[in-house]
Amino acid sequence: MDAPTPVDWLRTRADFPTLGRKIYLNTCSLGALSTQVRAAVNRHLDLWEEYGAAAWYTIWLAECAALRAATERLFNAAPGSVALAPSVGVALSTIGSALDYTQRPKIITTALDFPTIPYQWLARPDVEVVMLPSDDGISVPLERYAAAIDERTALVATSHVFFASGTIQPAREIAALAHAKGALCLIDGYQAAGQIPVDVAADDVDFYLSGGLKWLLGGTGIVELYVRPELVAQLEPTVTGWFAHERQFAFDVASFSYAPDARRFEIGTPALAAVYAAHAGIQLILEHGVAAIRQRELQLVADLVGRLREIDCALTMVDDPQQHAGIVMIRTASHAQIVSELAAQNIIVDHRPGHVRVSPFFYNTEEEHAILVAQMLRYR
Ligand SMILES: Cc1ncc(COP(=O)(O)O)c(C=O)c1O
């Protein structure tokens, strides 16, 4: 097989007008807007203007199907295994409503997961949430999962990449530990898909979530939920709607039967502008190739970390670059002030408690890092 043509990363910058005006190092909060995504949203608006509701059957439902299929490609997932939802919280509600907690009342999550995961189950009086601690704020040792998962565990729900440390978790090992005790495994890949390879089949996870917002460059309003095909028929979400019906357009008010594929996890009419944006974002990622993006990301993170260490910034991160994604956490008590002062200089980063968070993506450059780090000198 021919080697893929190397991507000219500098040229990709022309697709992102923001980069001409700002140093944008905040993809883990919100991916930069590309001309392709803007054009896709405009295409939706043009279709709306031209056809009105006539666009539904032939064009818009096909676009939803194309987004599910593109996601399946990205996740290495079987056809029919991806559903669309408006947010991770909604997708979790649907899954949460399909689990049986009578024999297995425990949900295991960790102190480093995004709060929308524990909140989903902390709000349920019938569920016992076990939150695995992290000693260093960077990672959670596998032994903690092994010790906590038991025959009373319904689900292990945790992140592929932790949002406030950038650590990549071993999804395959966590899924294997869950399965060994008959529990299910949900991986929140919102901070992973697009910047590191995802293979739901090889990792043997039961649920995998991602969305447009960050590393898939599609903006707000759409997340994608993978459900392992063998599991789909066993789960009947009670948080539901007409998009989950086997015969959606029969308009049969008297009876409800679930769609045979992952669509049974959908609820209602999706935000179509978001569907167009999410699809264009994933297409861009697939075009560049996640393996190539990851290689570039490793170079960029090494460059940024090297420059920050040179000026003695304290970083919260694992030592092994292979276990670390494109999120760099700089420890400081003045995080909010620094982020707003940098924004005034047209340098866009973010903060999380006790840290400035910097997240380079393939469209960033070493020169941008140098400018950021020169500013950071003021705050040492
Ligand atoms: C890992 C992770 N999960 C979930 C979310 C968001 O969840 P929701 O779609 O419910 O807003 C975020 C950030 O916005 C995140 O970083």
Side-chain angles (χ1 to χ4, degrees):
M1 212 171 74
D2 291 343
T5 318
V7 183
D8 183 343
W9 298 114
L10 272 183
R11 281 191 64 172
T12 66
R13 289 172 62 79
D15 294 336
F16 300 89
T18 308
L19 306 180
R21 303 194 286 271
K22 306 205 185 272
I23 293 183
Y24 191 80
L25 285 161
N26 198 10
T27 299
C28 77
S29 294
L30 175 64
L33 174 64
S34 64
T35 51
Q36 291 88 336
V37 166
R38 183 185 279 279
V41 173
N42 283 340
R43 209 157 53 244
H44 164 61
L45 297 176
D46 291 344
L47 291 164
W48 179 6
E49 189 174 80
E50 184 64 25
Y51 298 107
W56 266 116
Y57 299 106
T58 52
I59 304 174
W60 287 339
L61 289 175
E63 182 68 15
C64 295
L67 171 57
R68 293 188 201 98
T71 308
E72 284 156 5
R73 215 177 125 203
L74 185 78
F75 289 178
N76 190 31
S81 61
V82 164
L84 305 179
S87 70
V88 171
V90 171
L92 291 175
S93 311
T94 314
I95 295 165
S97 78
L99 301 180
D100 180 0
Y101 304 103
T102 48
Q103 304 300 317
R104 290 177 175 269
K106 257 169 81 172
I107 300 288
I108 294 174
T109 180
T110 84
L112 298 185
D113 285 304
F114 195 80
T116 204
I117 295 185
Y119 291 171
Q120 182 57 227
W121 285 284
L122 284 170
R124 293 187 68 126
D126 54 338
V127 169
E128 222 176 281
V129 175
V130 175
M131 192 159 317
L132 306 180
S134 167
D135 296 335
D136 52 11
I138 297 172
S139 54
V140 175
L142 266 183
E143 303 78 67
R144 295 228 165 122
Y145 289 93
I149 302 167
D150 59 17
E151 278 73 15
R152 295 178 67 247
T153 306
L155 181 74
V156 179
T158 188
S159 308
H160 202 173
V161 170
F162 286 132
F163 77 104
S165 72
T167 307
I168 302 171
Q169 290 214 99
R172 189 181 320 192
E173 280 85 342
I174 294 169
L177 288 171
H179 293 160
K181 295 288 164 77
L184 299 174
C185 174
L186 177 147
I187 299 291
D188 173 359
Y190 221 155
Q191 294 290 1
Q195 67 152 331
I196 64 169
V198 172
D199 190 332
V200 291
D203 287 350
D204 196 27
V205 298
D206 299 295
F207 306 99
Y208 193 93
L209 275 161
S210 192
L213 199 58
K214 304 160 191 296
W215 309 93
L216 293 179
L217 305 177
T220 56
I222 283 290
V223 307
E224 297 93 10
L225 164 66
Y226 160 81
V227 183
R228 190 160 54 81
E230 307 80 65
L231 193 61
V232 167
Q234 298 167 35
L235 296 177
E236 300 193 334
T238 54
V239 170
T240 191
W242 73 306
F243 268 63
H245 199 283
E246 189 181 17
R247 288 166 288 102
Q248 179 182 4
F249 292 101
F251 298 101
D252 171 10
V253 287
S255 70
F256 181 76
S257 53
Y258 289 100
D261 62 8
R263 264 200 322 105
R264 69 170 56 199
F265 290 88
E266 297 191 356
I267 299 180
T269 310
L272 279 167
V275 168
Y276 274 77
H279 189 195
I282 287 189
Q283 279 176 320
L284 211 50
I285 295 296
L286 288 170
E287 255 167 51
H288 295 324
V290 178
I293 290 173
R294 173 65 178 153
Q295 285 314 308
R296 180 63 185 140
E297 197 71 353
L298 281 165
Q299 289 170 351
L300 283 168
V301 170
D303 176 78
L304 179 61
V305 165
R307 289 175 196 269
L308 289 167
R309 289 208 165 121
E310 233 164 67
I311 63 162
D312 292 329
C313 282
L315 306 179
T316 299
M317 62 185 286
V318 277
D319 294 331
D320 178 1
Q322 298 299 334
Q323 290 176 31
H324 183 256
I327 297 175
V328 177
M329 305 297 291
I330 308 169
R331 268 198 305 285
T332 165
S334 331
H335 43 93
Q337 180 205 337
I338 294 174
V339 168
S340 78
E341 287 179 13
L342 288 173
Q345 311 269 348
N346 277 335
I347 301 173
I348 311 301
V349 294
D350 210 341
H351 59 89
R352 289 294 175 267
H355 294 84
V356 169
R357 185 171 74 164
V358 186
S359 49
F361 205 24
F362 63 81
Y363 42 60
N364 292 117
T365 64
E366 285 78 357
E367 289 70 26
E368 290 177 321
H369 291 168
I371 295 168
L372 166 75
V373 173
Q375 291 295 323
M376 288 305 295
L377 262 175
R378 297 197 282 143
Y379 302 110
R380 274 188 310 170

